[in-house]
């Protein structure tokens, strides 16, 4: 059934099945798409707040490293012996050790 057919049927009068179906679709989208995404974003934000020096992390670009310094909005990550890069705190994505165990 396409959307045009449904809309034409709904214009028949006091038929509330179209409205009920739209509410059901929104509820399904909320519980299967929106709510899990918000939960994941909160977990990542809490992880970024709890960063500690010496923790192994993965950046959004896929770079594995160890946190050496934490500033207000940036983190210095050592990606190899003696090689340090400064990345924005928002680009720290996950704990490298937790990802290795999955």
């Amino acid at each position: 059934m396409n959307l045009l057919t449904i809309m034409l049927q709904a214009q028949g009068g006091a038929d509330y099945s179209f409205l009920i179906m739209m509410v059901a679709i929104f509820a399904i989208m909320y519980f299967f798409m929106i709510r899990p995404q918000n939960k994941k974003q909160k977990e990542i934000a809490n992880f970024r707040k709890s960063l500690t020096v010496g923790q192994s992390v993965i950046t959004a670009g896929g770079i594995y490293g160890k946190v050496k310094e934490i500033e207000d909005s940036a983190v210095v990550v050592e990606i190899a012996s003696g090689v340090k890069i400064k990345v924005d705190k928002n680009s720290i994505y996950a704990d490298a050790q937790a990802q290795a165990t999955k």
Side-chain angles (χ1 to χ4, degrees), residues 5-33:
T5 307
I6 294 169
M7 290 178 69
L8 289 174
Q9 289 175 353
Q11 291 184 5
D15 187 15
Y16 293 107
S17 63
F18 178 72
L19 181 61
I20 293 170
M21 186 174 62
M22 292 304 290
V23 169
I25 289 172
F26 179 75
I28 290 169
M29 286 184 62
Y30 176 77
F31 284 108
F32 286 107
M33 296 175 70

Side-chain angles (χ1 to χ4, degrees), residues 56-58 64 94-102:
S56 296
V57 295
I58 304 171
Y64 285 72
D95 186 5
Q97 293 173 348
Q99 290 294 321
T101 60
K102 284 186 178 180

Side-chain angles (χ1 to χ4, degrees), residues 44-82:
I44 293 171
N46 289 335
F47 170 72
R48 288 178 184 149
K49 288 178 186 175
S50 67
L51 281 175
T52 58
V53 175
Q55 188 173 8
S56 296
V57 295
I58 304 171
T59 66
I63 300 172
Y64 285 72
K66 194 170 276 196
V67 176
K68 290 297 178 182
E69 293 178 36
I70 300 173
E71 300 172 5
D72 290 336
S73 64
V75 176
V76 176
V77 179
E78 184 177 39
I79 57 174
S81 181

Side-chain angles (χ1 to χ4, degrees), residues 36-51 58 89-95 99:
Q37 182 66 27
N38 288 343
K39 185 177 178 183
K40 181 75 171 173
Q41 287 176 346
K42 285 180 185 177
E43 288 175 7
I44 293 171
N46 289 335
F47 170 72
R48 288 178 184 149
K49 288 178 186 175
S50 67
L51 281 175
I58 304 171
K89 206 175 216 181
N90 291 329
S91 69
I92 301 295
Y93 179 69
D95 186 5
Q99 290 294 321

